[in-house]
Amino acid sequence: MINKKRILLTQVLMTGMMAATMSGIMSLIALGPGAVWLGVWARQFVCAWPIAFVMTTLIWPIANRLSGLLLRETATH
């Protein structure tokens, strides 16, 4: 069993990386490369990371259960 500290650290790292890449890519598409884009990206990242963290905390159990149902797995724990 994975300990709770590792789960939390993984979630912090994963949501941080996803928030950075998604906010960067989407703002780059909208604005193109340049100084304005970098400023917008930084603000969007600071806003996106906590939202991503909270949403994964709420949505993870639902997604985990749905994937089990879709794969027709039975609970073994």
Side-chain angles (χ1 to χ4, degrees), residues 1 7 10 12 16 19 27 37 46-48 51 57 60-63 65 69 74-77:
M1 181 174 186
I7 291 170
T10 299
V12 167
S27 60
W37 166 67
V46 168
C47 182
I51 293 168
T57 301
W60 168 256
I62 297 166
R65 185 165 185 181
L69 290 171
T74 58
T76 58
H77 305 311

Side-chain angles (χ1 to χ4, degrees), residues 25-64:
I25 291 167
M26 297 309 293
S27 60
L28 180 64
I29 291 168
L31 301 171
V36 172
W37 166 67
L38 286 174
V40 169
W41 181 10
R43 285 190 305 275
Q44 288 183 345
F45 171 69
V46 168
C47 182
W49 194 351
I51 293 168
F53 183 84
V54 169
M55 295 308 296
T56 58
T57 301
L58 298 173
I59 294 172
W60 168 256
I62 297 166
N64 191 36

Side-chain angles (χ1 to χ4, degrees), residues 61-75:
I62 297 166
N64 191 36
R65 185 165 185 181
L66 283 172
S67 66
L69 290 171
L70 291 170
L71 295 174
R72 302 188 192 283
E73 293 179 353
T74 58

